[in-house]
Amino acid sequence: MTTIYQARKIVTMNPSRPLATHIAVRDGTILGAGSLDELTGWGEYQLDRSFADKILMPGLVEGHSHVAEGVQWRFVYCGYFDRTDPNGVIWPGVKSIEEVIARLSEANAALSDPKQPLTGWALDPIYFNNRRMTRQDLDRVTTTRPIGIMHASGHIMNVNTMALELAGMLRPGVNHPGVPLGPDGVPTGEMKGPEAMTPLGPHVGLDRGLLASDEPGLRAFARLCVRKGVTTAADLANLLPQPAVEMMRQVTGEDDFPARIVSLRVAREISPAELVARVLELRTLSSDRLRLGMIKIVVDGSIQGFSARLLSPGYYNGAPNGLWYIAPEQLRDIFERALAAGIRVHSHTNGDEATELVLDTLEQALRKYPSPDHRFTLQHCQLANAAQFRRMRSLGMCVNLFPNHHFYWGDQHYALTVGPERAQRMNACATALASGVPLAIHSDAPVTPLGPLFTAWCAVNRLTASGRALGTEERISVAEAIRTITLGAAYTLGLDGEIGSIECGKRADFAVLEDDPTEIGAEHLKDVRIWGTVQGGRIFAAASI
Amino acid sequence: MTLPIPVTLIGGYLGAGKTTLINSLLRNADGRRLAVLVNEFGSLPIDADLIVAREDNLISISGGCICCSFGSDLVAALIDIRARGQRIDHLLIETSGVALPGSIVQSIALLPGLAIDGVIVLADAETVEERAGDRYMSDTVRGQLAGADIIVLNKIDLVPPERVAAISRWLAEIVPGARVSPAQNADIPSEIILGRQPEPQPIAHRIKPSKHRTAGYEALELEIDCPVDAERLAAVLADPDLALLRAKGFLQKLTGEFVTLHVVGRRSVVEPAPAWVEGPGRLVCIGVAAEMDRSAVLVALGSDFHLLQSPRRN
């Protein structure tokens, strides 16, 4: 049965037919986009006018997120900015420690089990005039139940006195750079860095699996996708043990599961040979809505955590260079085996030294295993310089930059981490395009909120949270940004033949919008109202998801 | 109160011999129940003949030892392995090839019930200088070496003897106070890495001969019948000039209570002794025979107390 959808306007991203008014769909596949006249030749059809006043564009593609976003919402949202949860509730940002305490107290009152920890996330005290939160602040919520609040950066946690006591840390004599002490010689409750946070995690409900998900978490993530117009999302770092794969196959296979998840096996815990064998096996377990068979490698840390590897002259504030999370020999081993097996590898690099290592290593590996169209992708790659973008182009690499980071942490990068000049060139989308490097942009949800149109707004405007225009030379146009969040991201995932544009033969994946992103104006791109999605020909309204 | 479990980090760059050392320690556990955490189950970390059983994330090893892998979350693995409730006499952590031991030491210090015993960093004699000058890895390799209480300069059989001396000098230059123990096949007495097994009874006259004898090491065993300034003695024994690799003793402090003294290369700790310890005090010092100056050790000790037993070669 063929359905022809009528829309106010259809932005196809197909250069030979950029605009249309109707789309014909059969069995989840697009027969064509054009005028009604052009489509009736496909035979008997039903005309669906429910989108007659809407804008349709290809379903948005989030090229770097984590399905853990769906799990975070079980915790209390303590972020500074308004944020939408999977149910569509907009949680207003909390603007002071008093407001954090009030929100936590409300959540505390709703818990019946006295031992259950109270967990919060997305706290960002840099917006509270840098007044640090202490255990005494959180003790005002409760002294009998452990509390742990993860910061937005993911690098700091605040806990209350009970949590410290349970972890055996309510004592003087703790000597650790990540554990500040109060005047009484006892930890203040602020735990900085993974070493300091992890011992507290199990006591405050944040033990492990920040990257893992479960059935309800996966469904919640997919509901969030619908609200943001996303029909395909990459889950960029998953250990993918067999039970998780079976769970994901089952959940994504449910009739009403509204998104396609592309889950990458993170290079961890097994040797390169075992990794490649496992990923080849995972590839055979793929389905339409669960795509497996790629590798993710974490090469360095984060810039704001000072754990990214920077080329000379290093950090602006003089902090020592960051950390390697993989040795060059292991990187080369994985690259060579993956190229030989035809497996795509996405490499997390934040600092430019980490990017340089990946470029050097891939260049060597490609001499040994020449591989046309390998599409190895640099993820984040925030500090890459112009010469590195030229090398990416020469080596056939793609890049997925992180404009959201520019908005949320650009001011810190300007003042503290890399200084004004490099802060201006961070996430250099315009240089990437000018160099001919296939480009995607991402949210890294839950690190920043999922929402490709917001990410596009960040790339187009390059404003920071304080309103500073940072690196205007690296702005890209609205048209370029929209291509990047559809075909661009699809290309990095090897899916551009299936999705990313509305044209004959592709999947019937659409973002259904109330406003036209090509007309609303660059400064309003993030305000485009989203009605929902069509995924594989199935209609999902955000209002009823 | 239960004593904390001693933890030894086995660090060093890829290929330096960490896995070989771990296997050697498992073969020479001498009744100790070792728990080993390895960064990954890559190429099998445990020699096949030692394995009793293997399930997902845990290898059971003959003699009651166990081995688990950890990915990015060492602390979670430590919590898990202790939650199994098995007796653990000593915990060994094989760090990843790019990890800096210093930060791991700090995080272990945050966990109740565990105490760092020592940091052993292996260096491959053939490649360590090159790695320490590598464009990308230089600061990581140097940071690893700088975090060592003892550097095991491994694979010395693969380089000429004069190179071994030159590398040792170079190590002493870039890591002030470095204690370097040369080795082939990571073969180093387990009592240097793990300390000597605490004796259930005060030792009378002689130490138990080690099952694991390696030429080139020397032990001094002393009985001490008077109270001592244990903190000062610990600092003296950790002085690089004495070139001791390991010392362990039960001593009576000037204030009367018994303490345990540990020295692992540059690290020294004095802590309350187990309740069963009673006089006289006793002390074992181990070092590389060619470097350990017995008389200097005795001079360093001798002014503070007298020796019941004259030193003898092990």
Side-chain angles (χ1 to χ4, degrees):
Chain A
M1 181 64 194
T2 300
T3 304
I4 294 182
Y5 296 99
Q6 179 185 340
R8 172 152 63 103
K9 180 177 176 182
I10 299 166
V11 180
T12 67
M13 307 309 296
N14 169 9
S16 57
R17 184 65 199 248
L19 296 176
T21 54
H22 293 74
I23 311 173
V25 174
R26 187 192 294 155
D27 299 331
T29 298
I30 297 167
L31 299 176
S35 64
L36 183 60
D37 276 354
E38 290 171 304
L39 297 171
T40 50
W42 287 100
E44 197 183 329
Y45 65 92
Q46 198 170 43
L47 183 66
D48 187 330
R49 302 193 70 258
S50 45
F51 301 143
D53 61 343
K54 310 284 189 247
I55 309 292
L56 296 188
M57 60 179 287
L60 306 182
V61 182
E62 170 52 82
H64 184 158
S65 59
H66 301 278
V67 291
E69 164 90 28
V71 175
Q72 297 294 310
W73 287 100
R74 285 171 217 166
F75 309 139
V76 183
Y77 179 64
C78 299
Y80 184 81
F81 299 93
D82 298 356
R83 190 156 170 167
T84 310
D85 77 10
N87 298 323
V89 176
I90 296 172
W91 290 79
V94 284
K95 306 296 184 189
S96 66
I97 287 185
E98 288 310 310
E99 288 188 35
V100 176
I101 301 299
R103 181 166 295 172
L104 289 169
S105 297
E106 202 177 313
N108 182 55
L111 292 178
S112 50
D113 177 353
K115 290 219 160 28
Q116 188 186 341
L118 179 59
T119 313
W121 67 294
L123 184 69
D124 217 343
I126 52 174
Y127 298 112
F128 303 158
N129 294 321
N130 253 329
R131 148 101 151 79
R132 312 309 297 182
M133 182 179 265
T134 64
R135 64 189 167 91
Q136 286 83 3
D137 290 323
L138 291 176
D139 286 347
R140 286 157 56 202
V141 178
T142 171
T143 54
T144 55
R145 179 198 306 286
I147 305 181
I149 315 293
M150 185 66 87
H151 286 213
S153 69
H155 296 278
I156 304 178
M157 183 198 291
N158 269 98
V159 299
N160 68 348
T161 300
M162 175 55 84
L164 280 176
E165 192 176 335
L166 290 172
M169 271 196 249
L170 191 66
R171 56 183 163 95
V174 174
N175 178 16
H176 190 282
V179 186
L181 306 179
D184 53 358
V186 173
T188 64
E190 193 173 54
M191 317 302 289
K192 300 178 176 178
E195 291 95 13
M197 291 192 296
T198 317
L200 269 301
H203 302 288
V204 298
L206 280 169
D207 42 356
R208 45 205 77 169
L210 274 180
L211 298 181
S213 194
D214 52 16
E215 291 187 30
L218 196 50
R219 292 189 192 103
F221 178 77
R223 288 203 300 278
L224 206 49
C225 287
V226 171
R227 297 186 187 287
K228 301 299 176 180
V230 172
T231 51
T232 298
D235 171 35
L236 218 73
N238 199 315
L239 282 169
L240 293 173
Q242 196 57 28
V245 172
E246 279 155 25
M247 179 278 286
M248 293 170 86
R249 277 173 59 90
Q250 177 229 313
V251 172
T252 57
E254 289 165 1
D255 287 343
D256 57 352
F257 189 85
R260 181 180 295 101
I261 306 294
V262 184
S263 193
L264 280 69
R265 174 48 159 100
V266 65
R268 200 172 280 163
E269 294 187 7
I270 52 177
S271 69
E274 290 170 321
L275 176 69
V276 165
R278 172 63 175 157
V279 169
L280 287 174
E281 178 188 19
L282 285 169
R283 186 182 280 174
T284 66
L285 299 173
S286 290
S287 62
D288 176 37
R289 291 202 287 276
L290 180 66
R291 301 301 177 95
L292 306 169
M294 291 194 282
I295 290 173
K296 162 78 175 295
I297 300 176
V298 180
V299 179
D300 69 343
S302 74
I303 296 169
Q304 75 274 26
F306 297 100
S307 51
R309 291 291 309 196
L310 266 57
L311 287 172
S312 176
Y315 285 101
Y316 189 51
N317 70 348
N321 209 345
L323 300 173
W324 293 109
Y325 291 148
I326 188 165
E329 293 86 342
Q330 294 165 320
L331 189 66
R332 189 181 63 220
D333 196 4
I334 297 173
F335 277 7
E336 289 183 358
R337 289 174 188 276
L339 287 173
I343 293 171
R344 290 197 178 89
V345 179
H346 287 228
S347 301
H348 156 128
T349 64
N350 263 313
D352 45 6
E353 191 185 27
T355 297
E356 192 82 355
L357 175 65
V358 170
L359 292 167
D360 284 356
T361 307
L362 185 61
E363 188 176 330
Q364 295 288 330
L366 282 170
R367 288 215 178 91
K368 211 162 159 186
Y369 298 96
S371 306
D373 202 24
H374 56 77
R375 295 192 207 184
F376 276 28
T377 299
L378 286 157
Q379 291 285 349
H380 304 322
C381 198
Q382 297 201 72
L383 260 186
N385 58 41
Q388 291 178 329
F389 281 108
R390 289 189 287 270
R391 288 187 74 193
M392 290 172 215
R393 154 77 190 196
S394 304
L395 295 173
M397 295 197 82
C398 311
V399 70
N400 190 346
L401 298 173
F402 195 1
N404 288 27
H405 194 96
H406 211 71
F407 173 77
Y408 286 106
W409 287 286
D411 291 319
Q412 279 75 46
H413 293 316
Y414 186 93
L416 198 64
T417 62
V418 297
E421 182 186 330
R422 287 178 295 178
Q424 283 167 11
R425 78 144 196 253
M426 281 176 80
N427 294 297
C429 294
T431 299
L433 290 176
S435 307
V437 181
L439 174 69
I441 53 178
H442 67 273
S443 69
D444 198 16
V447 176
T448 75
L450 181 77
L453 285 165
F454 173 75
T455 305
W457 174 85
C458 292
V460 164
N461 294 283
R462 288 184 71 91
L463 296 177
T464 66
S466 73
R468 183 200 307 271
L470 189 57
T472 51
E473 301 300 318
E474 292 294 347
R475 284 176 174 164
I476 58 175
S477 70
V478 170
E480 288 165 334
I482 288 176
R483 188 179 189 282
T484 298
I485 57 174
T486 51
L487 271 176
Y491 185 84
T492 65
L493 301 173
L495 296 176
D496 53 309
E498 288 182 63
I499 60 171
S501 62
I502 297 176
E503 52 188 303
C504 178
K506 285 195 160 182
R507 303 295 301 163
D509 290 2
F510 315 128
V512 183
L513 310 173
E514 305 281 4
D515 304 304
D516 182 351
T518 64
E519 299 286 343
I520 196 168
E523 68 275 30
H524 300 299
L525 199 48
K526 66 181 167 59
D527 305 319
V528 167
R529 291 167 298 157
I530 298 164
W531 179 88
T533 60
V534 176
Q535 209 277 355
R538 301 164 305 149
I539 297 172
F540 299 99
S544 59
I545 191 74
Chain B
M1 181 186 138
T2 20
L3 289 172
I5 300 172
V7 180
T8 297
L9 299 192
I10 311 285
Y13 199 70
L14 291 187
K18 299 187 291 289
T19 303
T20 312
L21 176 59
I22 298 271
N23 279 286
S24 159
L25 293 171
L26 288 168
R27 285 182 193 284
N28 295 284
D30 286 348
R32 292 182 188 85
R33 304 249 177 165
L34 302 180
V36 183
L37 287 169
V38 297
N39 182 244
E40 56 176 40
F41 278 168
S43 39
L44 195 63
I46 303 296
D47 292 345
D49 63 308
L50 290 172
I51 296 176
V52 172
R54 184 172 183 172
E55 50 187 284
D56 282 349
N57 197 26
L58 184 93
I59 294 177
S60 300
I61 298 160
S62 56
C65 299
I66 50 175
C67 177
C68 294
S69 70
F70 66 95
S72 55
D73 201 345
L74 172 63
V75 171
L78 285 167
I79 292 167
D80 284 349
I81 201 166
R82 295 189 57 211
R84 297 177 61 84
Q86 281 167 276
R87 186 185 114 199
I88 298 174
D89 297 325
H90 204 116
L91 224 155
L92 299 172
I93 298 172
E94 180 186 339
T95 66
S96 92
V98 288
L100 296 176
S103 70
I104 300 178
V105 167
Q106 287 173 338
S107 48
I108 286 169
L110 294 176
L111 293 172
L114 299 177
I116 282 288
D117 186 66
V119 178
I120 312 296
V121 173
L122 291 108
D124 180 339
E126 279 197 299
T127 60
V128 65
E129 287 169 297
E130 190 189 326
R131 301 273 189 233
D134 181 82
R135 175 182 175 192
Y136 292 112
M137 288 296 130
S138 173
D139 60 334
T140 301
V141 169
R142 285 164 185 261
Q144 291 176 341
L145 294 169
D149 296 319
I150 296 173
I151 298 171
V152 176
L153 182 60
N154 195 21
K155 309 190 186 181
I156 56 167
D157 49 322
L158 303 181
V159 298
E162 62 272 18
R163 290 288 303 133
V164 176
I167 298 166
S168 300
R169 279 197 303 276
W170 168 77
L171 283 171
E173 246 168 64
I174 64 164
V175 187
R179 222 54 57 82
V180 180
S181 180
Q184 304 177 13
N185 294 319
D187 189 13
I188 177 166
S190 54
E191 58 209 81
I192 290 179
I193 310 294
L194 304 173
R196 184 157 287 172
Q197 183 76 318
E199 299 287 337
Q201 299 300 321
I203 48 174
H205 299 294
R206 47 196 303 109
I207 54 171
K208 220 169 43 177
S210 165
K211 283 182 199 162
H212 185 97
R213 279 170 178 267
T214 305
Y217 296 93
E218 186 169 344
L220 283 175
E221 187 198 6
L222 315 160
E223 286 191 7
I224 299 159
D225 71 345
C226 59
V228 296
D229 181 345
E231 279 78 11
R232 196 195 73 82
L233 180 58
V236 165
L237 292 173
D239 188 311
D241 289 345
L242 290 188
L244 291 184
L245 293 173
R246 164 74 76 165
K248 179 158 184 181
F250 297 126
L251 301 166
Q252 193 173 20
K253 285 180 54 158
L254 297 171
T255 46
E257 70 264 34
F258 277 89
V259 290
T260 307
L261 174 151
H262 300 276
V263 174
V264 181
R266 297 189 293 173
R267 176 187 300 270
S268 66
V269 179
V270 173
E271 60 193 14
W276 50 262
V277 171
E278 48 189 38
R282 48 235 185 249
L283 180 68
V284 181
C285 304
I286 306 174
V288 177
E291 289 178 17
M292 185 167 135
D293 185 339
R294 296 157 59 92
S295 54
V297 174
L298 292 173
V299 167
L301 304 177
S303 61
D304 225 28
F305 45 86
H306 74 271
L307 308 170
L308 276 184
Q309 187 187 326
S310 58
R312 36 173 206 91
R313 287 188 178 271
N314 183 18

